[in-house]
């Protein structure tokens, strides 16, 4: 007869590990994860609403994504990786009888990181295709010149504060009036 052998597995005790936001948000706690060892949190992505981090209700339509990069003393610390607008807000900003111009381009920062910026530009009135092409070209040139002089962290901070959007709008005013400049997504890569 064949005898059955059974193995007993030890249950490991799990614990709650707090996750803290990056330095741009003052290292405030953004959540917890339930894991066996704190090192298992490395590489995890955490999503948070921007309103909760900045305490500004105007930012409720934006989400930010953090990636856990270090673990010290049973606490997980993150870096800011992505900024993204919610889909419902995108539908609200588009209007009839206006041109919507989407763009996406990868730019190099001062510290050697790559940033993907996806702006959405809404013109004041319907415009010609040649004006839209010039608008897109001017936008790319402005972003290329601006981003190569700042670090990746500063770019993300400017996007979150809205200063980059204001500067784009001012730079494009010479081509054609833009009533809305929104960054749909900004992704920071090493």
């Amino acid at each position: 007869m064949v005898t059955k052998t059974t193995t007993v597995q030890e249950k490991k005790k799990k614990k709650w590990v707090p996750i803290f936001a990056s330095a741009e948000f003052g290292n405030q706690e953004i959540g917890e994860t339930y894991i066996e060892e704190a090192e298992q949190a490395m590489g995890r992505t955490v999503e948070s609403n921007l309103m909760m981090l900045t305490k500004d209700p105007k930012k409720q339509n934006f989400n930010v994504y953090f990636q856990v990069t270090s673990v010290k003393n049973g606490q997980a610390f993150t870096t800011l990786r992505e900024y993204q607008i919610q889909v419902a807000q995108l539908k609200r900003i588009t209007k009839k009888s206006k041109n919507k111009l989407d763009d996406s381009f990868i730019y190099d920062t001062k510290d050697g990181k790559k940033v993907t910026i996806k702006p959405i530009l809404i013109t004041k009135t319907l415009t010609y295709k040649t004006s839209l092409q010039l608008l897109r070209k001017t936008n790319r040139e402005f972003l290329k010149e601006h981003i190569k002089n700042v670090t990746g962290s500063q770019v993300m901070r400017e996007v979150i504060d809205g200063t980059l959007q204001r500067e784009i709008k001012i730079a494009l005013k010479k081509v054609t009036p833009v009533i809305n400049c929104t960054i749909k997504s900004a992704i920071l890569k090493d």
Side-chain angles (χ1 to χ4, degrees):
M1 278 242 156
V2 176
T3 60
K4 289 186 179 179
T5 57
T6 58
T7 58
V8 178
Q9 292 182 347
E10 280 186 34
K11 286 190 177 182
K12 293 186 179 181
K13 193 163 189 160
K14 291 185 177 182
K15 57 186 173 184
W16 287 100
V17 174
I19 300 173
F20 293 93
S22 60
E24 291 95 355
F25 298 102
N27 292 328
Q28 59 182 321
E29 187 173 338
I30 56 173
E32 294 179 321
T33 184
Y34 193 59
I35 50 178
E36 295 170 4
E37 297 293 326
E39 286 73 29
Q40 291 176 335
M42 290 292 290
R44 288 194 182 191
T45 303
V46 181
E47 176 185 0
S48 182
N49 191 290
L50 196 54
M51 181 184 76
M52 301 306 251
L53 294 169
T54 60
K55 310 293 188 251
D56 183 8
K58 293 178 182 177
K59 305 277 186 185
Q60 68 183 340
N61 297 313
F62 304 97
N63 293 332
V64 286
Y65 297 87
F66 299 95
Q67 187 174 18
V68 177
T69 54
S70 66
V71 176
K72 296 176 189 165
N73 301 327
Q75 298 175 335
F77 296 96
T78 62
T79 55
L80 182 61
R81 289 292 178 207
E82 187 174 349
Y83 163 92
Q84 198 168 38
I85 191 171
Q86 294 176 356
V87 176
Q89 180 65 14
L90 277 177
K91 291 179 181 178
R92 278 187 219 114
I93 64 173
T94 56
K95 307 281 184 203
K96 283 186 177 179
S97 70
K98 300 185 184 339
N99 288 104
K100 177 181 142 190
L101 187 67
D102 286 323
D103 200 10
S104 177
F105 210 69
I106 299 172
Y107 303 97
D108 293 322
T109 61
K110 183 179 178 180
D111 56 350
K113 295 183 179 180
K114 294 196 179 293
V115 178
T116 304
I117 303 279
K118 298 179 180 181
I120 295 177
L121 307 169
I122 309 288
T123 61
K124 192 171 185 178
T125 59
L126 288 173
T127 55
Y128 296 107
K129 286 183 182 180
T130 54
S131 297
L132 294 176
Q133 289 172 348
L134 186 59
L135 197 66
R136 179 177 278 123
K137 182 181 175 190
T138 308
N139 179 40
R140 284 187 179 182
E141 288 172 357
F142 171 77
L143 285 173
K144 184 178 181 182
E145 287 300 314
H146 179 75
I147 291 176
K148 76 176 185 182
N149 297 321
V150 294
T151 63
S153 172
Q154 289 172 328
V155 170
M156 295 304 278
R157 189 76 227 162
E158 287 179 2
V159 169
I160 290 168
D161 291 343
T163 55
L164 185 61
Q165 291 90 316
R166 282 190 293 274
E167 290 176 10
I168 291 171
K169 193 173 176 180
I170 291 168
L172 298 178
K173 190 186 290 186
K174 298 170 188 168
V175 178
T176 189
V178 175
I179 59 166
N180 193 349
C181 175
T182 306
I183 303 275
K184 178 180 175 182
S185 174
I187 304 167
L188 182 65
K189 298 175 186 169
D190 289 331

